[in-house]
Amino acid sequence: KQEVTQIPAALSVPEGENLVLNCSFTDSAIYNLQWFRQDPGKGLTSLLLIQSSQREQTSGRLNASLDKSSGRSTLYIAASQPGDSATYLCAVKARAGKSTFGDGTTLTVKP
Amino acid sequence: GAVVSQHPSWVICKSGTSVKIECRSLDFQATTMFWYRQFPKQSLMLMATSNEGSKATYEQGVEKDKFLINHASLTLSTLTVTSAHPEDSSFYICSPFSGGRPNEQFFGPGTRLTVL
């Protein structure tokens, strides 16, 4: 059974700082890994999707990496802004299409 | 990416009533539908998996008689919370899946259910 862990559970940084969020998973037989953002009381916003054959994906200030062999992914946020404050979830998708989510990292970027 | 809609986006109901949530995949055919729920300050947990035209498979701890799932067509799935109770208050999210596009992941915007 796939287990997904996100560390840290919460993170508070000053504006402008670069930061890394971590996601680890126990079963490396995955189709893809996806990072989402969720604002309080809202749905999911997809940030980056990394296929199992890829090592990283970039979008603007975001960069996500994937190391299947070690069961790890990182989400790097450059030059953080207060608007980046949200909960970040990683989801690992199995071959059958089922996704397993981590518990999330709640990020607060202070002005 | 694909467009997925959920209706309603939020609903408040009295305890004991039933609530139906619709999920539509607007531009692709979902052979499989995953239903997730998210309790406050927790992550999304898979409730059930349904394949078009067949019965849903429920995760451990999810009551199949309480959460009725219908996946009658490739573009529409419904989740009915029967005899809702305050502990069913949660955020429900659908995720359609197409075997023809296995590497893509789509989620509905979610439905927030509050049971008084």
Side-chain angles (χ1 to χ4, degrees):
Chain A
K1 178 184 176 184
Q2 180 74 271
E3 294 182 3
V4 180
T5 305
Q6 289 187 245
I7 294 173
L11 181 64
S12 181
V13 300
E15 182 177 3
E17 195 163 295
N18 302 326
L19 57 100
V20 175
L21 308 181
N22 298 289
C23 173
S24 61
F25 48 95
T26 55
D27 186 349
S28 61
I30 66 172
Y31 252 154
N32 60 42
L33 183 145
Q34 195 162 4
W35 283 92
F36 294 89
R37 169 188 174 135
Q38 186 176 34
D39 293 285
K42 303 293 185 181
L44 303 176
T45 300
S46 178
L47 298 174
L48 290 165
L49 170 66
I50 310 177
Q51 307 293 359
S52 62
S53 59
Q54 298 174 325
R55 297 282 292 185
E56 67 176 339
Q57 282 287 325
T58 298
S59 176
R61 294 182 293 107
L62 305 180
N63 175 276
S65 68
L66 174 64
D67 184 344
K68 273 202 325 177
S69 60
S70 65
R72 294 180 182 177
S73 175
T74 61
L75 178 66
Y76 175 82
I77 302 177
S80 59
Q81 302 170 358
D84 295 331
S85 299
T87 295
Y88 291 81
L89 296 166
C90 75
V92 176
K93 185 174 180 179
R95 296 179 189 280
K98 182 188 303 186
S99 285
T100 302
F101 284 81
D103 288 338
T105 294
T106 299
L107 171 66
T108 302
V109 181
K110 299 178 179 179
Chain B
V3 179
V4 184
S5 70
Q6 276 186 243
H7 178 79
S9 56
W10 59 271
V11 57
I12 301 173
C13 69
K14 293 182 179 180
S15 185
T17 61
S18 294
V19 175
K20 180 185 284 188
I21 300 170
E22 291 186 350
C23 175
R24 295 181 184 273
S25 56
L26 300 180
D27 59 351
F28 80 105
Q29 295 183 327
T31 51
T32 302
M33 186 68 74
F34 299 101
W35 284 95
Y36 295 83
R37 65 180 170 185
Q38 183 182 36
F39 292 110
K41 300 189 183 300
Q42 296 184 25
S43 191
L44 282 80
M45 298 297 293
L46 181 67
M47 296 176 64
T49 303
S50 71
N51 292 304
E52 186 258 341
S54 60
K55 290 184 178 180
T57 302
Y58 291 81
E59 296 298 304
Q60 191 173 8
V62 179
E63 301 175 54
K64 63 178 182 179
D65 294 329
K66 182 171 185 61
F67 299 98
L68 303 180
I69 292 174
N70 183 286
H71 192 172
S73 78
L74 293 174
T75 58
L76 172 65
S77 176
T78 61
L79 168 67
T80 301
V81 183
T82 63
S83 186
H85 291 283
E87 57 265 31
D88 298 323
S89 297
S90 187
F91 193 57
Y92 293 87
I93 298 178
C94 66
S95 178
F97 174 71
S98 169
R101 300 166 73 172
N103 281 332
E104 298 190 73
Q105 182 78 343
F106 308 108
F107 288 87
T111 297
R112 183 161 301 283
L113 170 64
T114 302
V115 184
L116 303 176

